[in-house]
Amino acid sequence: MGLAQGDPRVPEIWRFRVRDLKLILDRLDEVEARVPGGIDRGRIAVAGHSFGGQTAGNLLGLRVRGGEDYRDERVKAGVLLATAGNGGADLTPFAAERFPFMNPEFAGMETPALVVVGDKDDSPLSHRGAEWMADPYRHSPGRKSLLTVFGAEHSLGGIVGYEAAETTDESPERVALIQRVTTAYLRSALYSEEFTVEVDAGLGSIESK
């Protein structure tokens, strides 16, 4: 948004984002009036990449330390792509200073979710390397699955858009894999189908709990 770091709105940005999502859910009547085909309100999912993953996670039960509980029972499943892990001592000094909201607590994130990580996503925000991004899977309760995409950096092959400036690891194969797995996962979580999807051993791996 181009806000200066000293802007008083900066510490509240994470809340604004969550409230935006909840506002959409609160006003589905208006959305539905403009979208042909209708909305199945019993099968709502939320998904996000990077900071968007934390925003999505808040509706699944993730809490920012010292923040409100924004869990929304209308959301039945989620997909968290390249989403930050634990805060505190796991953060670099830069991240701890600039992003005080990067202190998530996963203990209440009970809603089913798929966590997607790249094994080359060595974030400058944490000392722990790529495995830091698996914390939403490792430290949350309930039914969760983890897709690890081999060779993927933070953009996971280009899910934010081919030739986007932040895509450092462009790979149509990785994007196609993520598309197949996320689609299969959401069908499983929302329609009670078995979560079965084949993953080329050279592209990634899946585990569930």
Side-chain angles (χ1 to χ4, degrees), residues 16-29:
F16 298 155
R17 294 164 63 99
V18 177
R19 290 168 184 166
D20 283 348
L21 292 185
K22 292 181 81 71
L23 179 63
I24 293 170
L25 293 175
D26 291 341
R27 299 176 69 171
L28 281 179
D29 285 342

Side-chain angles (χ1 to χ4, degrees), residues 90-193:
D90 288 344
L91 299 178
T92 61
F94 169 81
E97 178 184 357
R98 297 288 296 272
F99 307 117
F101 49 82
M102 291 189 72
N103 280 285
E105 297 176 341
F106 301 109
M109 199 174 81
E110 298 177 346
T111 306
L114 170 69
V115 177
V116 181
V117 303
D119 71 352
K120 300 299 182 187
D121 186 2
D122 191 2
S123 174
L125 304 177
S126 174
H127 301 290
R128 289 176 45 210
E131 60 96 17
W132 180 59
M133 298 287 183
D135 284 355
Y137 171 77
R138 306 274 182 219
H139 298 291
S140 63
R143 293 191 295 120
K144 300 291 186 299
S145 293
L146 174 69
L147 169 64
T148 301
V149 185
F150 299 155
E153 299 177 11
H154 195 58
S155 292
L156 299 171
I159 61 168
V160 295
Y162 295 127
E163 299 182 355
E166 60 266 44
T167 299
T168 56
D169 61 335
E170 186 171 309
S171 168
E173 292 80 12
R174 293 184 189 122
V175 173
L177 169 67
I178 292 168
Q179 180 185 46
R180 287 192 298 106
V181 174
T182 54
T183 300
Y185 179 80
L186 289 174
R187 289 199 63 85
S188 170
L190 299 177
Y191 291 87
S192 300
E193 295 182 4

